[in-house]
């Protein structure tokens, strides 16, 4: 079977002792298995919480949370929201688990798997209230643009899985990618651009912190869109 073009490469990164300990001790609590038989991930999370478990008013999917600092920050600000993060890199998963343990955050779950497959197989239509995609790999070289995550087929899947009134929030510090992302999102009829500006880009919401990648981009003189 031919393999589809992936938007990521699994890089060989070193997992620190603290991250490894978090994976061992906290993984069973926070990390969910990829299971194509689970067709409604949000309902499965609610069922797993049980009758006495926390009740969340919203569910947000984050694709590619990196080392998890922004995820933990936003989860702490929005305790009534369940955040489900997809990340393939083990050091990043371990780093987020470590933050969750240190801050005693209960409203985060993690899938260490390809987010495209998770979205296609495990997320039911109209079940998400938000999707976060912060600083995806811009794949600078033209021959690699096909690997960029934000493409029309994925955006259609995301839009179909958003509940009415749900939002898709993307951020990048690479202007050519920002322009492509805006074009792709504007072309999706299920989505409506809520930006108040003529240029079409949204203001940074209060809940999103300055990430490592954003700070790096600002130091290099890049804008953030």
């Amino acid at each position: 079977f031919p393999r589809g073009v992936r938007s990521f490469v699994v890089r060989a990164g070193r997992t620190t002792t603290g991250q490894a300990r978090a994976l061992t001790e906290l993984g069973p609590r926070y990390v969910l298995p990829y299971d194509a038989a689970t067709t409604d991930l949000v309902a499965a999370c609610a069922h797993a919480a049980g009758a006495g478990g926390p009740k969340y008013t919203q569910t947000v999917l984050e694709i590619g949370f990196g080392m998890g600092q922004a995820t933990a920050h936003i989860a702490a600000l929005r305790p009534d929201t369940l955040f489900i993060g997809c990340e393939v890199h083990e050091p990043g998963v371990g780093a987020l688990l470590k933050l969750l343990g240190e801050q005693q955050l209960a409203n985060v779950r993690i899938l260490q798997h390809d987010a495209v497959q998770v979205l296609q197989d495990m997320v039911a239509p109209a079940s998400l209230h938000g999707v976060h995609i912060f600083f995806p790999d811009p794949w600078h070289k033209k021959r690699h643009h096909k690997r960029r995550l934000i493409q029309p087929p994925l955006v259609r899947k995301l839009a179909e899985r958003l509940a009415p009134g749900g939002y898709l929030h993307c951020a990048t510090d690479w202007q050519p990618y920002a322009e492509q992302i805006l074009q792709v999102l504007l072309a999706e009829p299920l989505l409506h651009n809520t930006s108040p500006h003529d240029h079409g880009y949204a203001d940074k919401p209060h809940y999103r912190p300055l990430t490592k990648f954003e700070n790096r981009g600002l130091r290099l003189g890049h804008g953030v869109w």
Side-chain angles (χ1 to χ4, degrees):
F1 296 92
R3 173 187 281 185
V5 176
R6 286 186 170 178
S7 63
F8 62 89
V9 173
V10 180
R11 300 175 179 87
R14 188 178 74 86
T15 303
T16 67
T17 301
Q19 292 166 1
R21 184 182 302 114
L23 284 162
T24 300
E25 296 177 357
L26 299 174
R29 176 182 176 187
Y30 291 103
V31 179
L32 305 173
Y34 167 75
D35 182 2
T38 301
T39 57
D40 191 340
L41 181 59
V42 176
C45 288
H47 178 74
K55 299 294 188 292
Y56 299 110
T57 60
Q58 296 190 335
T59 301
V60 171
L61 176 71
E62 182 173 8
I63 298 178
F65 55 73
M67 300 304 284
Q69 294 96 333
T71 308
H73 177 91
I74 298 171
L77 290 177
R78 298 170 58 179
D80 61 337
T81 299
L82 175 65
F83 292 89
I84 301 175
C86 290
E87 178 58 64
V88 296
H89 301 294
E90 186 168 285
V93 174
L96 177 55
L97 286 170
K98 189 169 180 290
L99 291 171
L100 298 178
E102 291 170 350
Q103 300 179 36
Q104 293 296 296
L105 297 174
N107 59 325
V108 178
R109 295 295 180 270
I110 298 169
L111 278 113
Q112 191 176 345
H113 197 79
D114 180 358
V116 176
Q117 284 189 313
V118 170
L119 185 72
Q120 180 168 307
D121 298 336
M122 298 182 66
V123 181
S127 64
L128 299 173
H129 298 90
V131 176
H132 293 172
I133 305 176
F134 299 152
F135 302 93
D137 194 328
W139 292 102
H140 304 89
K141 296 179 180 179
K142 187 173 182 179
R143 69 176 184 270
H144 290 157
H145 286 184
K146 62 186 178 183
R147 293 183 176 274
R148 287 178 171 176
L149 178 66
I150 309 300
Q151 306 282 0
L154 176 69
V155 171
R156 169 49 64 101
K157 287 187 174 68
L158 290 170
E160 291 173 342
R161 284 154 179 79
L162 283 172
Y167 68 90
L168 170 58
H169 178 188
C170 302
T172 181
D173 64 348
W174 189 250
Q175 184 173 357
Y177 195 16
E179 293 167 353
Q180 177 192 327
I181 290 173
L182 186 59
Q183 290 175 357
V184 171
L185 298 185
L186 288 173
E188 173 49 61
L190 294 178
L191 296 177
H192 168 68
N193 190 1
T194 60
S195 169
H197 305 294
D198 292 339
H199 53 57
Y201 299 106
D203 297 318
K204 185 176 81 67
H206 74 281
Y207 60 77
R208 187 176 70 76
L210 291 175
T211 68
K212 178 183 72 173
F213 294 101
E214 188 167 359
N215 278 315
R216 182 194 66 184
L218 293 172
R219 286 197 303 270
L220 294 173
H222 298 172
V224 174
W225 293 268

